[in-house]
Amino acid sequence: MPIEILGARLIDPASGRDEVTDIYCADGKILAIGQAPAGFTAQQSIQAQGLVAAPGLVDLSVALREPGYSRKGNISSETLAATAGGITSLCCPPQTRPVLDTAAVADLILDRARESGHAKVFPIGALTRGLAGEQLAELVALREAGCVAFGNGLANFADHRSLRRALEYAATFDLTVIIHPLDRDLAEGGIAHEGPAAAFLGLAGIPETAETVALARDLLLVEQSGVRAHFSQLTTARGAQMIAEAQARGLPVTADVAMYQLILTDEALHGFSSLYHVQPPLRSAADREGLRAAVKSGVITAISSHHQPHEVDAKLAPFAETEPGISSAELLLPLAMTLVEDGLLDLPTLIARLSSGPAAALRLPAGRLAEDLPADILLFDPKRSTLAGETWYSKGRNCPFIGHCLPGMVRYTLVDGRVSYQA
C-alpha cells in the first residue's frame, strides 16, 4: 500500500540527516524523501507533524521463547511486543528447545516469524552443539539457513582450547561471534553483584572479575584469531574500559548493553523483588555511570532490551530461586528516552545506539532511512508519555517498569512499508 508520511522530523544517524520533511513509501521501500515521485498516489496518509521519523529500532537480543517455551512467550506475541516498542528488526538468541543449532530450527523460527508478520527476525545460531561448549555446531549450514551470528550465551566452553578453535573456525568463514563475558567459576553460586547491597541482604555475590577475567581472555583470543566479535550484555565500568582499549588497538570488536543496566543498580534489590533478578546481575552505581559514559562516547554502539519474558510462576519463588530476566522489548523506546530526559544523550545519538549502531555490529540490512531501502520506520512523539503496562502484548509481565510513566510514545511502527503497530 502506498503510504505518505507528512511533516515528520526525520532523523537518520547513518547519513547525518535531521530535517522536517515528507516520506513516500510503496512496494515495501522508501520511494522518495522530500518531494513525491511523479504519479505517486497515497492510499494512506499519516499526518506526522510533531512526530520523529527514525529508522526502525534494531534489538540484538529478544528471546522469542519458541520453540520449546510457549508458556513464557511465542514468536507472534513477542514480535508484536517488539513493534510496540518501536523495534522493526530483532535478533533471537539460540536458547530454545531444541537449541538453535540446526538449520531445521532456524527454518522453523523464520517461517513462523513470516507468518506472524510483525517484526523482522534474525536468528543467532548456537556456536556449539546443544550449547555444551564442546563440539562446534554446523555454522556454515546455519549461516545459509539465515543465522547472522553465533554465540554460546552464558554457557562456558569446556576449555580454552575449544573456545580458541571455535573463534579460529568462525574467522575462517568471516562469521561474527557473540560473546557474553562471564567466568562461570567466579560467578558460581552468585545471584547479585558482589558489593554492599548483596552483603546487607545476605545474597551470594558475583564479583566484577567474573566479567573482566573472562573478557581479558576473550579479547586475547579474538586478537589471536582475528574473528569479528560482539561482546553482549556488558555490566561493568571496567569491562567497558577494556573494550575501549581493545578498539584503540584496532581489534574488530563491538559491544552492547542491556537497557535496564543503564537505568537500574543493585540498590533496586533491597525489596527482594524477583523482578530485578537478572543475569548478569545489576551492578553498582559506579558501574552504571561507566556504562553510560561508554554509550555516550560510542565505545558501546548498541543498546538492547535483552528481553526475557517469563510466565508468572517463574518469578513467585524466593529471590534466589526465581528465573532471571526482564520483559521489556515493548518499552525499549520509552526507556531509552529517559537517557535524553536525563541529558546523557541527544536524540540523534540515542537513535544511533538503537538502530544504525546495532545493525552495523552484526552487519544487518537495517538501521537506515534512505531512498530504495526497506521502509522500516519508527514514528514516535517525543513530547507525549507512555504509561508502562497500560497495553501489554508480551506473554511475560515480569517487568519492574510497569506502572511507571516514561517519556516518549511510539505512534506507528512500519515494517516494509506496512503499518505493523499503531498506538
Side-chain angles (χ1 to χ4, degrees), residues 12 40 93 141 237 252 266 294 316 331 349 360 394 402:
D12 179 46
F40 181 87
D266 60 343
L316 289 183
L331 296 177
T349 303
S394 171
I402 288 178

Side-chain angles (χ1 to χ4, degrees), residues 191-198 201 203 235 258-273 275-278 280-292 319 326 400-401:
I191 55 172
H193 171 62
E194 185 177 275
L201 296 169
L203 298 174
T235 65
M259 183 68 245
Y260 53 78
Q261 293 282 4
L262 299 175
I263 299 174
L264 303 171
T265 70
D266 60 343
E267 292 296 317
L269 304 184
H270 277 287
F272 286 105
S273 171
L275 295 177
Y276 298 101
H277 181 196
V278 293
L282 298 175
R283 298 285 184 181
S284 68
D287 285 313
R288 180 184 63 182
E289 295 314 304
L291 293 171
R292 284 182 160 211
F319 186 92
I326 289 175
F401 304 107

Side-chain angles (χ1 to χ4, degrees), residues 97-402:
R97 190 170 58 197
V99 168
L100 209 174
D101 60 1
T102 65
V105 178
D107 288 342
L108 173 86
I109 290 171
L110 289 171
D111 286 346
R112 292 192 178 172
R114 280 188 287 267
E115 290 170 5
S116 299
H118 302 307
K120 295 178 178 177
V121 173
F122 297 92
I124 305 298
L127 191 55
T128 60
R129 294 180 183 176
L131 298 174
E134 297 176 352
Q135 292 182 309
L136 281 180
E138 297 289 341
L139 303 187
V140 174
L142 285 167
R143 178 182 64 180
E144 292 172 353
C147 292
V148 295
F150 302 88
N152 230 48
L154 294 173
N156 276 186
F157 271 72
D159 51 60
H160 295 166
R161 180 182 298 174
S162 297
L163 174 57
R164 176 191 170 188
R165 295 287 183 250
L167 298 184
E168 289 174 341
Y169 184 86
T172 300
F173 291 95
D174 192 30
L175 306 176
T176 301
V177 172
I178 296 178
I179 301 174
H180 292 72
L182 183 71
D183 187 295
R184 298 300 296 184
D185 290 335
L186 288 170
E188 185 67 32
I191 55 172
H193 171 62
E194 185 177 275
F200 178 78
L201 296 169
L203 298 174
I206 299 175
E208 171 196 278
T209 49
E211 175 168 293
T212 54
V213 166
L215 186 55
R217 174 204 64 197
D218 297 338
L219 286 170
L220 289 170
L221 292 176
V222 166
E223 187 169 20
Q224 181 177 46
S225 65
V227 72
R228 280 179 53 89
H230 177 77
F231 287 88
S232 188
Q233 278 188 290
L234 289 187
T235 65
T236 66
R238 178 67 179 128
Q241 183 183 344
M242 292 168 72
I243 292 292
E245 292 165 355
Q247 291 171 343
R249 296 204 313 272
L251 293 191
V253 296
T254 52
D256 74 58
V257 62
M259 183 68 245
Y260 53 78
Q261 293 282 4
L262 299 175
I263 299 174
L264 303 171
T265 70
D266 60 343
E267 292 296 317
L269 304 184
H270 277 287
F272 286 105
S273 171
S274 62
L275 295 177
Y276 298 101
H277 181 196
V278 293
Q279 294 294 339
L282 298 175
R283 298 285 184 181
S284 68
D287 285 313
R288 180 184 63 182
E289 295 314 304
L291 293 171
R292 284 182 160 211
V295 168
K296 183 174 183 178
S297 68
V299 168
I300 294 176
T301 56
I303 301 171
S304 303
S305 69
H306 287 281
H307 173 76
Q308 292 183 287
H310 286 296
E311 74 280 17
V312 173
D313 290 350
K315 290 288 188 178
L316 289 183
F319 186 92
E321 299 171 22
T322 57
E323 295 188 54
I326 289 175
S327 173
S328 62
E330 60 197 281
L331 296 177
L332 183 57
L333 186 277
L335 288 173
M337 286 292 289
T338 64
L339 303 181
V340 174
E341 189 175 64
D342 291 347
L344 177 70
L345 302 177
D346 59 29
L347 195 51
T349 303
L350 177 70
I351 292 171
R353 301 293 182 266
L354 294 169
S355 58
S356 56
L362 296 194
R363 298 182 283 189
L364 303 178
R368 295 182 59 203
L369 287 185
E371 294 175 1
D372 296 323
L373 291 181
D376 297 340
I377 304 170
L378 162 63
L379 289 169
F380 69 94
D381 191 334
K383 295 183 179 179
R384 293 189 64 181
S385 299
T386 296
L387 179 59
E390 187 174 30
T391 58
W392 199 258
Y393 299 98
S394 171
K395 288 186 74 173
R397 293 186 62 88
N398 51 301
C399 178
F401 304 107
I402 288 178

